[in-house]
Amino acid sequence: MNSIQELIVRDAHEWEREAVEAVMLESYQQYAFDLSAERWEEYRNSIRSSAYSHAPHARIVAEFGGEIVGSVQLFLSSEAAYGKPEMGIHSPIIRLLAVSPGSRGRGIATLLIQEAARRSIQLGATTLNLHTSDMMASAVKLYERLGFERAYDTDIINNETLVKGYRIKLPGSLLLQSAL
């Protein structure tokens, strides 16, 4: 990849779901050894099924040289994202941010998050949410660098794992400035 300008960030096409699934699985494979075999199998199946679900408001991909190298899903609420209206999140949530290992370190994740933030503002949202765990330390660093702050009120427990909520206020956010 010579420059980030050659990268195209766009909506995924229906016929690209298999490619999106492959990028997500390749990206999340690094966590297979951090989880029990049973828990990894559940997580992998969840990732696979998300590629074919109609729940996301948008499935955004990064394409380079005709190949999908990253993706993120944008949901409108906690009910749409997790099937949990009781969480009370009525603003956009990003899930399953993925960048293929060979394409990391080039700003692709940031561009995907920025696009999700732009779309959230277009929807009239003032915040963008996400959830992650300590297992994903490099992702946590990225989110915090981009301006996401802990949203303790949205934390959830998944099995025995604390899944931490993060939120960013969108209008005027540094996230939307192109020089990150």
Side-chain angles (χ1 to χ4, degrees):
M1 195 176 298
N2 295 331
S3 75
I4 204 68
Q5 286 77 25
E6 298 171 4
L7 189 76
I8 299 168
V9 176
R10 60 172 176 78
D11 283 308
H13 300 291
E14 288 288 323
W15 50 268
E16 293 176 309
R17 289 182 182 226
E18 218 172 275
V20 171
E21 174 191 4
V23 166
M24 288 191 299
L25 288 172
E26 180 186 23
S27 177
Y28 283 84
Q29 179 65 39
Q30 72 188 60
Y31 304 114
F33 302 107
D34 295 328
L35 301 170
S36 69
E38 180 181 322
R39 181 71 184 110
W40 169 245
E41 184 71 21
E42 289 173 14
Y43 195 38
R44 190 176 68 200
N45 289 339
S46 171
I47 291 168
R48 281 187 169 138
S49 66
S50 75
Y52 301 93
S53 168
H54 293 288
H57 173 73
R59 187 172 279 108
I60 305 165
V61 295
E63 175 189 333
F64 182 78
E67 179 184 344
I68 293 177
V69 296
S71 71
V72 69
Q73 296 178 10
L74 180 67
F75 295 84
L76 299 181
S77 67
S78 56
E79 182 173 8
Y82 308 113
K84 295 184 177 196
E86 67 274 14
M87 288 178 72
I89 302 173
H90 302 289
S91 62
I93 299 170
I94 56 171
R95 290 199 63 212
L96 295 167
L97 175 66
V99 176
S100 64
S103 297
R104 290 182 182 163
R106 297 183 170 109
I108 295 170
T110 298
L111 290 172
L112 288 165
I113 294 169
Q114 286 175 320
E115 181 61 20
R118 275 191 286 279
R119 291 180 186 210
S120 296
I121 288 173
Q122 289 172 348
L123 291 166
T126 58
T127 60
L128 178 62
N129 299 271
L130 63 85
H131 289 86
T132 191
S133 68
D134 290 338
M135 172 178 73
M136 300 175 180
S138 61
V140 170
K141 286 180 187 175
L142 171 67
Y143 301 142
E144 290 175 346
R145 182 177 60 80
L146 294 177
F148 283 85
E149 296 177 350
R150 284 285 280 118
Y152 295 94
D153 59 315
T154 67
D155 287 357
I156 52 179
I157 301 290
N158 186 357
N159 292 322
E160 297 171 5
T161 303
L162 172 63
V163 183
K164 297 177 177 180
Y166 283 81
R167 179 183 303 124
I168 191 168
K169 293 179 183 170
L170 293 175
S173 168
L174 293 177
L175 173 63
L176 297 171
Q177 295 180 8
S178 59
L180 284 176

